[in-house]
Amino acid sequence: MDDVKRQLAKWIDQDRDTIIGFLCDFVRAKSPNPPGDTTLAAAHITRFLEAQGLPFRVIAPQATMPNIVGTFEGRGPGRHLVLNGHIDVFPADERNERWTHGPWSGAIANGKIYGRGVADMKAGTSASIFTYAYLYRIREHLKGRLTLTAVSDEETFGPWGARYLMEHHPEVHGDCLLNGEPSSPLTIRFGEKGPLWLEFTVRTPGAHGAYTHYSKSATKLAMQLARDLEAVTEIKPEISDNIRAALEQGHATMEKAMGAGAAAAVSAVTLNIGTIRGGLKVNMVPGECVFETDIRLPVGVDQSQVLGVVAKVLKQYPEATMRETQFSAPSWCDPNGEMVEILQRNVTALKGFTPIPIVSLGGTDARLWRYRNIPAYVYGPFPRGMGSTDEHVEIEEFLHIVRVHVLSAYDYLMRQ
Ligand SMILES: [Zn+2]
């Protein structure tokens, strides 16, 4: 470790209480999505950036969903690293008494910080913000450029956050992206699956429940159709050798980080029937049934392949129609990229284990960079209680994520 890197590590140790306090107050600044109003939480960030004298601007194509973008140059030419995290979080039922501490408490207990969004992903976004702040202090030692993007409108695939920035502000593209979405300190995510949501409607004339010879049942047809749609799970992905090798190497780690069965799910098309509504009354033959499917595409499967199989199945059901309601393609970058190697080296030096590159099941804004062929990696805390009650991060794990982001961003910007 060189002197500057040692200095960075020392600052993080000295500022321990400040960093923890920042995250607790960030959680208290409610930003549930829906509705997605992040003005309180964004103000918490801008107050910090102002107090530290850091350059930034607010880009808010939608007034209640501001994005914060900061950037600065090092001493000489070099590469451009972009840090990204989201400000909005899942909603929480405030009357739900199953929370040991309130969902917006930002409470500290047993070495953990509690609250909605602390893991997904206010801890990771805080890591990006402190990385930006510390590297600004030593910018005379850096090459290239560092950009911070703290965005809104992530949780509902909204158009006003990272998607807006990527489309309208090419200055945030950069050469590499680092993101602290919850994953696990044991893994580095280089890719993610892509959701394809389809809504099916089955319509028949309907009838009195005793007159089943008058009309086909919309619910029965829907149930058969849903079962036949399992055909999409037979589609096999086509992947390159380096991705295949990474998936094989990451098998045990994926099972550990995301549960038994995760490694198989990562490489397969999965089908979930999320909702189903049909019929009005028990003694009527239903004339309408609507159900929604959440199909997840692995790396190496195209949307057109899936829609081809769906169209073939639908041909058997003239009573059914289909509508696409959401799609994000699966995304990936080099599992052995330079940032992976940098992250691995820093984690090994700090903790004695080496994080493994994997593909994740859930989605992040990192995909938007990968779509533009910019390598984008995720290194964040365990997703404890994410989307559920008692969401929390362990304080030491959070500080570890901050350290790894700061030191890895430094290493990346020191190289030519
Ligand atoms: Zn997230």
Side-chain angles (χ1 to χ4, degrees):
M1 217 187 264
D2 65 36
D3 284 348
V4 180
K5 213 168 161 183
R6 234 187 303 274
Q7 177 64 64
L8 288 168
K10 205 170 144 193
W11 278 332
I12 298 170
D13 289 339
Q14 286 169 349
D15 294 346
R16 188 186 159 87
D17 293 343
T18 308
I19 298 169
I20 295 169
F22 177 89
L23 177 55
C24 293
D25 286 339
F26 196 8
V27 172
R28 289 167 194 142
K30 288 162 62 164
S31 53
N33 189 4
D37 183 333
T38 57
T39 46
L40 270 180
H44 173 66
I45 298 173
T46 55
R47 263 197 308 276
F48 173 83
L49 297 175
E50 265 162 19
Q52 300 276 322
L54 296 160
F56 75 92
R57 63 195 167 122
V58 174
I59 299 174
Q62 213 283 44
T64 60
M65 298 179 175
N67 303 294
I68 299 161
V69 177
T71 192
F72 64 83
E73 303 258 7
R75 119 182 91 78
R79 296 176 302 178
H80 182 188
L81 178 65
V82 179
L83 310 166
N84 169 256
H86 62 82
I87 309 170
D88 57 326
V89 301
F90 275 138
D93 183 352
E94 294 180 34
R95 296 155 308 172
N96 186 336
E97 284 160 11
R98 289 183 303 149
W99 281 81
T100 312
H101 311 276
W104 311 110
S105 65
I108 294 179
N110 311 317
K112 297 163 186 160
I113 303 172
Y114 286 86
R116 169 58 77 235
V118 68
D120 184 8
M121 65 167 288
K122 283 178 170 171
T125 304
S126 299
S128 296
I129 292 164
F130 280 95
T131 299
Y132 185 69
Y134 287 129
L135 264 55
Y136 185 76
R137 284 191 203 169
I138 55 134
R139 61 193 180 283
E140 286 306 311
H141 297 277
L142 300 175
K143 301 182 178 102
R145 171 184 285 274
L146 183 65
T147 291
L148 168 72
T149 59
V151 303
S152 296
D153 210 17
E154 193 272 345
E155 292 293 2
T156 50
F157 306 97
W160 306 118
R163 265 168 60 194
Y164 181 88
L165 291 183
M166 292 303 277
E167 277 163 31
H168 300 277
H169 293 273
E171 68 271 20
V172 307
H173 291 179
D175 298 309
C176 182
L177 179 90
L178 186 57
N179 170 304
E181 281 272 15
S183 47
S184 112
L186 306 173
T187 66
I188 298 164
R189 297 180 168 190
F190 67 90
E192 60 193 48
K193 293 184 79 178
L196 170 62
W197 295 355
L198 304 175
E199 184 191 79
F200 295 85
T201 302
V202 180
R203 283 204 178 89
T204 59
H208 185 290
Y211 290 63
T212 54
H213 54 291
Y214 269 16
S215 172
K216 285 185 184 172
S217 158
T219 52
K220 277 191 181 177
L221 285 171
M223 287 156 84
Q224 283 165 14
L225 170 57
R227 201 185 48 215
D228 288 354
L229 286 172
E230 286 291 335
V232 299
T233 64
E234 304 293 323
I235 301 170
K236 293 283 170 267
E238 276 174 39
I239 49 176
S240 57
D241 289 344
N242 64 332
I243 304 281
R244 187 184 314 281
L247 289 173
E248 275 165 21
Q249 248 174 37
H251 192 282
T253 311
M254 287 190 277
E255 299 271 302
K256 208 164 158 185
M258 298 182 279
V266 159
S267 302
V269 178
T270 56
L271 169 75
N272 171 49
I273 309 294
T275 68
I276 182 160
R277 304 183 300 279
L280 287 174
K281 197 164 180 290
V282 65
N283 58 347
M284 291 168 78
V285 176
E288 184 176 281
C289 185
V290 180
F291 67 96
E292 293 172 292
T293 61
D294 176 5
I295 300 169
R296 300 284 172 140
L297 281 57
V299 172
V301 170
D302 281 344
Q303 181 192 27
S304 61
Q305 288 173 274
V306 177
L307 291 178
V309 171
V310 170
K312 227 166 125 186
V313 171
L314 265 181
K315 267 205 178 121
Q316 315 299 314
Y317 297 89
E319 301 86 354
T321 56
M322 186 269 283
R323 182 169 80 89
E324 182 181 317
T325 56
Q326 169 69 33
F327 175 63
S328 296
S331 70
W332 66 97
C333 58
D334 185 357
N336 309 304
E338 183 184 349
M339 183 54 92
V340 173
E341 179 231 319
I342 290 174
L343 289 165
Q344 284 179 325
R345 217 152 15 80
N346 282 316
V347 176
T348 308
L350 289 166
K351 288 280 181 190
F353 62 80
T354 306
I356 307 291
I358 66 158
V359 169
S360 77
L361 295 170
T364 70
D365 276 340
R367 76 184 187 283
L368 301 168
W369 276 265
R370 296 187 194 120
Y371 289 164
R372 292 177 187 267
N373 292 319
I374 299 157
Y377 300 100
V378 174
Y379 188 74
F382 271 110
R384 296 192 175 91
M386 183 173 72
S388 171
T389 50
D390 284 347
E391 181 172 347
H392 66 274
V393 290
E394 287 181 2
I395 288 174
E396 291 313 319
E397 192 176 290
F398 164 52
L399 293 170
H400 166 71
I401 300 297
V402 174
R403 264 181 217 110
V404 172
H405 278 235
V406 170
L407 300 179
S408 300
Y410 170 75
D411 285 342
Y412 184 85
L413 293 175
M414 283 302 287
R415 297 183 182 186
Q416 203 69 55

